[in-house]
Amino acid sequence: METRKEQKEKRRQEIICAALELFVSKGYAATKVTDIAERVNMSTGLLFHYFESKEKLYEELVRMGLEGTTYPAGQKCEHAIDFFTQFTTQLFSYMKQQPVMAKLFVLMAEAQRSEATPAHIREIALKVNTIEQFVPIIEWGQQEGTIREGDPLVISNAFWCCIQGIAERYATNREIDLPEADWVVDLVRRR
Amino acid sequence: METRKEQKEKRRQEIICAALELFVSKGYAATKVTDIAERVNMSTGLLFHYFESKEKLYEELVRMGLEGTTYPAGQKCEHAIDFFTQFTTQLFSYMKQQPVMAKLFVLMAEAQRSEATPAHIREIALKVNTIEQFVPIIEWGQQEGTIREGDPLVISNAFWCCIQGIAERYATNREIDLPEADWVVDLVRRR
DNA sequence: TATCTAATTGAATTTTTATTCATTGAATCA
DNA sequence: TGATTCAATGAATAAAAATTCAATTAGATA
């Protein structure tokens, strides 16, 4: 049996998870590798047997985030507004079912936003969806009449920031439920 | 003339401003005091002539945030929903007029949320408005029929997170306009 | 069982960052 | 003007954090 290799992989995963928790709750810069090691009951030295450096560990998480947070591919929707409902519903559902998802989501946000993120990591993080991602759908919805008037970029931005704000809290404090997807969608819906 | 004292105070303010910028764009932990000193063209040593420590400087900012972000005292409103409109409008207007406001807002958010914030500073930060702040108004609005159905706490939380998400982006990137207050208010408005 | 390999440790080292300090020069004041 | 005080520097020190490493143990393998 590959007990040895499997074991190693399992341990790597433990570290990854611990790091994710800490990076999200304290921020990358403020988490010490000893914090991480401690959380998985491992000597600090050993952690470096699994990961070359704190930064590489971060990079790996960001790469995971890049793949893991491939957002719900919109099914074919009849109306533009349905896209938003579907998108939000699925995203919230993922976050509820897999706490890790919500955390990865927040990790990515920090990696993208913070000036302190090492440049090459930031680049990776920036490959995921951006603020402009919803613009074309919003334009379509405005013609249709299902989405409110206004600069599509500004609407897209507002919607995305709202989602991020919600995810940011939910990732570290699950005491309060996520809102209904519809509520959030009302941010873009024509009244 | 108090040239001396005035000068000193002015310099302190410069430092405070530089620190605010950096704390918001990189996070508290990732900002080095040399970064701050550099930004105000001052030797690192001198900075300690003005502030006892990096932490004290942070504390002072958080205290400013505590006062500075006393949110728009709701005028008397006829309907609960009007409170939200008024609140959001004023908040956005402040943020637009005074970039510092938006930044303080974000600084406070980090101080509140991050596990890395020194305990006594976090306490100070937590004195400002919380997620529950809107609950009573939402309850009132639900009776009235101006605010949507649902757990008031969850609604309050969603609204606040949305505001935070928007502020967070706007504080560091003013390229994209703030949304209309009404859009955000639609998050809580009954349809 | 003897041997080899990989996991593990904890202490030592290096690197980074915060903080101190002795010293200088300029502004104020007596 | 001479004395005094404070802004200012930059190099020295201290503290914190990351990383390395020599040595040990446990597990696999022959």
Side-chain angles (χ1 to χ4, degrees):
Chain A
M1 250 120 274
E2 292 293 63
T3 309
R4 212 69 177 278
K5 216 164 212 170
E6 288 171 356
Q7 201 55 36
K8 176 155 189 174
E9 188 48 31
K10 192 185 292 176
R11 213 75 207 278
R12 262 181 77 88
Q13 286 310 318
E14 282 179 46
I15 297 171
I16 291 249
C17 287
L20 177 57
E21 300 262 313
L22 289 166
F23 288 163
V24 169
S25 68
K26 317 173 74 151
Y28 171 67
T31 29
K32 291 167 265 179
V33 315
T34 55
D35 291 339
I36 306 173
E38 205 169 285
R39 180 174 278 233
V40 292
N41 299 311
M42 166 184 290
S43 67
T44 317
L46 183 53
L47 198 145
F48 284 89
H49 176 69
Y50 289 93
F51 293 90
E52 190 175 329
S53 67
K54 179 182 166 188
E55 192 175 306
K56 272 281 189 325
L57 173 51
Y58 190 37
E59 183 178 328
E60 182 144 341
L61 272 165
V62 170
R63 282 187 197 286
M64 284 177 55
L66 186 55
E67 310 199 342
T69 52
T70 311
Y71 302 122
Q75 321 282 317
K76 50 273 163 208
C77 302
E78 195 179 342
H79 299 293
I81 194 70
D82 300 333
F83 167 85
F84 285 96
T85 306
Q86 217 176 273
F87 177 92
T88 310
T89 306
Q90 285 198 29
L91 187 62
F92 283 1
S93 146
Y94 285 162
M95 295 203 306
K96 228 176 287 191
Q97 286 158 32
Q98 306 178 27
V100 167
M101 265 287 293
K103 285 177 181 154
L104 267 183
F105 192 91
V106 172
L107 182 95
M108 294 303 278
E110 191 203 325
Q112 291 181 198
R113 166 191 9 143
S114 172
E115 298 278 337
T117 307
H120 71 281
I121 296 186
R122 207 171 180 194
E123 269 172 44
I124 300 171
L126 287 169
K127 286 185 187 157
V128 292
N129 308 30
T130 65
I131 313 178
E132 301 88 17
Q133 64 188 313
F134 305 110
V135 168
I137 303 166
I138 290 173
E139 282 167 345
W140 161 34
Q142 288 179 328
Q143 293 185 327
E144 255 192 359
T146 57
I147 293 197
R148 73 162 78 247
E149 299 296 328
D151 181 338
L153 181 58
V154 177
I155 298 179
S156 176
N157 183 51
F159 175 73
W160 189 236
C161 289
C162 174
I163 296 276
Q164 295 224 164
I166 289 168
E168 204 161 291
R169 171 153 332 240
Y170 193 64
T172 48
N173 175 2
R174 299 172 67 93
E175 279 170 34
I176 299 182
D177 276 340
L178 283 174
E180 301 291 321
D182 274 339
W183 305 356
V184 176
V185 174
D186 278 356
L187 201 71
V188 304
R189 176 181 280 124
R190 178 167 298 180
R191 322 199 60 239
Chain B
M1 250 123 273
E2 293 293 64
T3 309
R4 211 73 176 272
K5 216 165 212 171
E6 287 172 355
Q7 200 56 34
K8 175 154 190 176
E9 187 48 31
K10 192 185 294 178
R11 214 74 207 278
R12 264 182 75 90
Q13 286 309 317
E14 283 178 45
I15 296 171
I16 291 248
C17 287
L20 177 59
E21 301 261 313
L22 289 166
F23 288 164
V24 169
S25 68
K26 317 173 74 152
Y28 170 66
T31 350
K32 290 167 265 180
V33 316
T34 54
D35 291 338
I36 306 173
E38 205 168 287
R39 181 174 278 234
V40 292
N41 298 311
M42 166 183 289
S43 67
T44 318
L46 182 53
L47 199 145
F48 284 88
H49 176 69
Y50 289 94
F51 293 89
E52 190 176 329
S53 68
K54 180 182 164 187
E55 193 175 305
K56 272 281 189 324
L57 173 50
Y58 191 36
E59 183 178 327
E60 182 145 343
L61 271 165
V62 170
R63 284 190 195 284
M64 283 177 56
L66 186 55
E67 310 199 341
T69 53
T70 311
Y71 301 123
Q75 322 282 317
K76 49 276 161 203
C77 302
E78 195 180 342
H79 300 293
I81 194 70
D82 300 334
F83 168 85
F84 286 95
T85 306
Q86 215 176 275
F87 177 92
T88 311
T89 306
Q90 285 198 31
L91 187 62
F92 284 1
S93 144
Y94 284 162
M95 295 203 306
K96 228 176 288 193
Q97 286 158 33
Q98 305 178 28
V100 167
M101 265 286 294
K103 286 178 180 153
L104 267 184
F105 192 90
V106 172
L107 182 96
M108 294 302 279
E110 191 203 325
Q112 290 181 201
R113 163 189 13 137
S114 172
E115 297 278 337
T117 308
H120 71 281
I121 295 186
R122 208 172 180 193
E123 268 173 45
I124 300 172
L126 286 170
K127 286 186 188 159
V128 291
N129 307 32
T130 65
I131 312 178
E132 301 88 19
Q133 64 189 314
F134 305 111
V135 168
I137 302 165
I138 290 173
E139 283 166 345
W140 162 34
Q142 288 179 328
Q143 293 186 324
E144 253 192 0
T146 57
I147 292 197
R148 72 163 78 248
E149 298 297 328
D151 181 338
L153 182 58
V154 176
I155 299 177
S156 176
N157 184 50
F159 175 74
W160 190 235
C161 290
C162 174
I163 296 276
Q164 294 224 163
I166 289 168
E168 203 161 293
R169 169 150 338 237
Y170 193 66
T172 49
N173 175 3
R174 299 172 67 94
E175 280 170 31
I176 299 181
D177 277 341
L178 283 174
E180 301 291 320
D182 274 339
W183 305 355
V184 176
V185 174
D186 278 356
L187 201 72
V188 304
R189 177 181 280 122
R190 177 167 298 180
R191 321 198 64 240

